Amino acid sequence: GAGVSQSPRYKVAKRGQDVALRCDPISGHVSLFWYQQALGQGPEFLTYFQNEAQLDKSGLPSDRFFAERPEGSVSTLKIQRTQQEDSAVYLCASSPSQGLGNQPQHFGDGTRLSIL
Amino acid sequence: DQQVKQNSPSLSVQEGRISILNCDYTNSMFDYFLWYKKYPAEGPTFLISISSIKDKNEDGRFTVFLNKSAKHLSLHIVPSQPGDSAVYFCAASAPYGGSQGNLIFGKGTKLSVKP
């Protein structure tokens, strides 16, 4: 498909387990963003990549959260030692621009993470 | 401290009438504003945007108005259709500095269009 693809769509994990969430951006898009959306809230910024470089990780809530985009395409968001407050929908977005604004970001359908 | 506020959690409109969704922001550095539409279990879908150098942008049934002095924008949908029923998110970005163009979202307004 031509859109942003995220997998898995749903993930259930026990507290303390590690999880990995995958994002396939739109082909050729330079910028990639991760957001976290809690129930009843708008998405909140986690981290930003320009190609393979992680230029902003100011939104990551703790050092348990780690993201990478080693070849400038697919990205993985990893959460170590998950806690119940990590339960949320994790959204990935991509845009063709290099973070200079005026380009809409296109979102995937997200991964709904539930920590038991 | 919310930088983007959507003060109406919900809005109900009759089919064929106008829907007006409102959004306020506090950061004067924002220069690009977007509206997204979200259906349950799907990601936000880009609807329409406006740059701060404009005060109006129109795309079919959707028009976004920007009032920079009031730090306010609105989305007008005319005529409203039942398929427009969804949660609408207002978002803003400031391309310079540390934000790198990441979006700041409001909490959303749930629009219900009744037949």
Side-chain angles (χ1 to χ4, degrees):
Chain A
V4 177
S5 178
Q6 291 187 247
S7 60
R9 287 296 315 276
Y10 303 92
K11 176 69 178 178
V12 179
K14 292 183 179 178
R15 188 163 52 106
Q17 287 183 330
D18 298 348
V19 298
L21 313 179
R22 177 188 168 105
C23 173
D24 282 88
I26 294 172
S27 178
H29 277 194
V30 169
S31 298
L32 186 145
F33 302 81
W34 283 97
Y35 293 84
Q36 180 189 60
Q37 185 174 19
L39 193 64
Q41 303 293 317
E44 291 192 358
F45 170 75
L46 293 176
T47 187
Y48 160 68
F49 289 86
Q50 179 180 313
N51 295 305
E52 69 278 4
Q54 188 176 20
L55 298 186
D56 187 349
K57 52 182 181 179
S58 62
L60 296 176
S62 77
D63 58 7
R64 296 186 297 104
F65 286 71
F66 172 76
E68 59 183 5
R69 193 186 185 198
E71 297 179 358
S73 178
V74 170
S75 177
T76 303
L77 176 67
K78 298 179 179 177
I79 310 174
Q80 298 176 325
R81 305 180 303 280
T82 53
Q83 300 178 5
Q84 283 191 323
E85 60 262 31
D86 300 335
S87 296
V89 175
Y90 290 86
L91 293 163
C92 176
S94 70
S95 75
S97 75
Q98 298 191 21
L100 295 180
N102 296 333
Q103 293 276 356
Q105 294 176 23
H106 300 275
F107 284 81
D109 285 337
T111 295
R112 180 175 293 277
L113 176 64
S114 297
I115 305 300
L116 304 179
Chain B
D1 180 28
Q2 270 195 290
Q3 297 187 67
V4 176
K5 298 178 184 178
Q6 293 178 257
N7 292 320
S8 298
S10 63
L11 175 68
S12 183
V13 171
Q14 204 68 32
E15 180 179 7
R17 306 295 289 267
I18 184 171
S19 295
I20 300 176
L21 296 101
N22 293 303
C23 178
D24 297 293
Y25 62 95
T26 57
N27 189 341
S28 58
M29 294 298 291
F30 288 149
D31 77 338
Y32 184 51
F33 304 88
L34 309 90
W35 285 94
Y36 284 84
K37 174 181 177 181
K38 187 181 182 306
Y39 293 119
E42 293 184 9
T45 301
F46 170 70
L47 202 54
I48 193 169
S49 64
I50 188 166
S51 168
S52 60
I53 61 174
K54 296 185 175 181
D55 55 17
K56 177 182 175 181
N57 188 27
E58 190 172 352
D59 183 0
R61 297 185 297 114
F62 303 92
T63 302
V64 56
F65 295 92
L66 176 63
N67 182 334
K68 288 187 291 295
S69 61
K71 293 191 176 69
H72 178 83
L73 66 156
S74 60
L75 174 68
H76 293 208
I77 306 174
V78 182
S80 301
Q81 300 174 353
D84 296 330
S85 297
V87 177
Y88 288 77
F89 288 98
C90 171
S93 74
Y96 302 107
S99 66
Q100 298 287 347
N102 59 280
L103 298 176
I104 309 298
F105 284 85
K107 291 187 176 183
T109 296
K110 184 175 182 179
L111 173 66
S112 299
V113 180
K114 301 191 181 306

